[in-house]
Amino acid sequence: MLKSIILLSAFALGAIAKNETIDGYNFFLWGPNLDQPKSQYEHDAADIALGLLKKRLGNEPLPDLPEDNVAAVLKLKQDLGTEKLKELLAPDMDDADSFWHGVINKSTNGWESPKAAEAHGVVFLPHLNVTQFGAWYETKYADMANLAANPEHYVKESTQIAGGLTSKILEGWGGVTTNFTFPSFGAPDRGKDPFLPELKDYPIQQAGDKVLRDGTIFGVLHLALRSVPGAEYGQPQDGFEVFSTVWYQNGADDDHLDHERRHMIIEIVNLTLQAQKDVENGALSS
């Protein structure tokens, strides 16, 4: 995979964006404090996921796996299947519940002064626009893409409800492998979550509570999308921005927040690439 990395100013936001060429397409990515290419974030996450699954499998035989750790952990997850992954990772779900309750217990002011982990990706894909990606994200194809979207993704089961989605998810961030739900992922409710920014320049927005198995709200995800003129990034065509934010109570430490940022960068790239493939093959019209 060809990758060229150039630092430049992100004109509209005054941030520093990293230009990466991935599968021949241009991505401008920023958010993590750890300054590495998306591929390094992904290989680091694959090391964590592969190590965890091998540990939980113990002496059980492994299938033949590719040498590349990203490809290897994807094949292993596919071979194990949803129910086996849930069974294997049960101890880690318990550990994650304890981790999140620890974050909440050491937080001050509840949700009045939360911390945010933010990640941005401006993408230029010739056969995918912001409207198509927003629509794709609510289809079964987004769930189908979940295992490959991040090495620390294990399970995602979504159902459409009035005004959005409800999802059951098992995934990790830096090894904090959490079983949680989005009871409702739809239009942001700033009456309930006043810390969510308005982001008036982003016409497509969704948000929802991240809820542990005991009903505790431990986080809030906010996804915002907008079109971006290609001229702002020196590109011959227009693109779009994916702005993903996870909010936690202020007991969350900076190391964990940066794992989240890297996690979201991996997702932004992999999900938009897969969405374009699905548009190209006509899946969204079926």
Side-chain angles (χ1 to χ4, degrees):
M1 181 184 293
L2 174 65
K3 294 188 187 265
S4 60
I5 303 173
I6 306 166
L7 290 180
L8 74 164
S9 171
F11 297 88
L13 295 172
I16 298 298
K18 183 180 296 182
N19 178 10
E20 296 195 41
T21 303
I22 302 173
D23 288 0
Y25 303 111
N26 290 327
F27 291 80
F28 295 78
L29 308 169
W30 69 101
N33 294 328
L34 182 63
D35 183 18
Q36 293 179 334
K38 174 261 185 182
S39 62
Q40 189 61 56
Y41 299 151
E42 193 163 20
H43 283 293
D44 289 347
D47 280 342
I48 292 170
L50 196 56
L52 178 59
L53 290 174
K54 286 181 176 179
K55 175 183 176 182
R56 293 304 176 204
L57 282 165
N59 294 324
E60 292 187 40
L62 292 173
D64 290 334
L65 298 175
E67 288 189 14
D68 177 83
N69 66 349
V70 174
V73 75
L74 176 59
K75 184 178 189 305
L76 182 57
K77 291 187 296 185
Q78 290 169 332
D79 285 2
L80 290 170
T82 295
E83 294 309 314
K84 182 66 171 179
L85 285 168
K86 290 178 182 177
E87 175 189 329
L88 285 173
L89 297 174
D92 305 285
M93 300 178 207
D94 293 339
D95 289 345
D97 288 347
S98 297
F99 173 89
W100 290 115
H101 278 286
V103 168
I104 292 167
N105 289 338
K106 68 181 179 181
S107 297
T108 58
N109 300 323
W111 288 102
E112 292 185 16
S113 54
K115 287 183 174 180
E118 298 180 351
H120 300 256
V122 175
V123 307
F124 293 92
L125 299 173
H127 303 129
L128 184 71
N129 61 39
V130 69
T131 303
Q132 290 169 319
F133 182 67
W136 176 89
Y137 197 81
E138 294 193 5
T139 69
K140 63 183 180 181
Y141 299 104
D143 276 16
M144 291 166 61
N146 183 67
L147 274 188
N150 191 292
E152 288 197 83
H153 283 184
Y154 304 102
V155 178
K156 185 183 179 200
E157 300 167 327
S158 300
T159 303
Q160 288 225 333
I161 59 173
L165 297 171
T166 181
S167 299
K168 299 177 181 179
I169 296 176
L170 175 58
E171 67 179 64
W173 312 278
V176 183
T177 305
T178 309
N179 185 335
F180 68 101
T181 61
F182 285 110
S184 177
F185 190 67
D189 183 352
R190 293 182 177 86
K192 182 179 71 67
D193 297 321
F195 51 85
L196 297 179
E198 289 289 340
L199 301 179
K200 293 181 179 179
D201 292 337
Y202 295 77
I204 301 174
Q205 297 188 37
Q206 290 181 305
D209 294 338
K210 300 172 71 170
V211 181
L212 296 175
R213 293 175 291 175
D214 66 1
T216 300
I217 297 172
F218 73 101
V220 177
L221 174 63
H222 185 194
L223 184 69
L225 310 174
R226 67 170 177 172
S227 295
V228 174
E232 290 188 0
Y233 288 82
Q235 301 299 305
Q237 68 184 67
D238 292 343
F240 64 93
E241 180 185 353
V242 181
F243 178 11
S244 185
T245 308
V246 182
W247 294 86
Y248 293 118
Q249 292 188 31
N250 61 24
D253 63 38
D254 291 339
D255 180 67
H256 179 80
L257 293 177
D258 214 52
H259 275 292
E260 292 267 6
R261 296 180 189 108
R262 290 171 241 160
H263 184 108
M264 292 186 286
I265 290 292
I266 299 166
E267 290 175 328
I268 288 168
V269 173
N270 290 343
L271 290 175
T272 55
L273 285 172
Q274 184 58 49
Q276 176 172 252
K277 291 177 184 177
D278 288 337
V279 169
E280 289 171 336
N281 67 26
L284 290 186
S285 60
S286 62

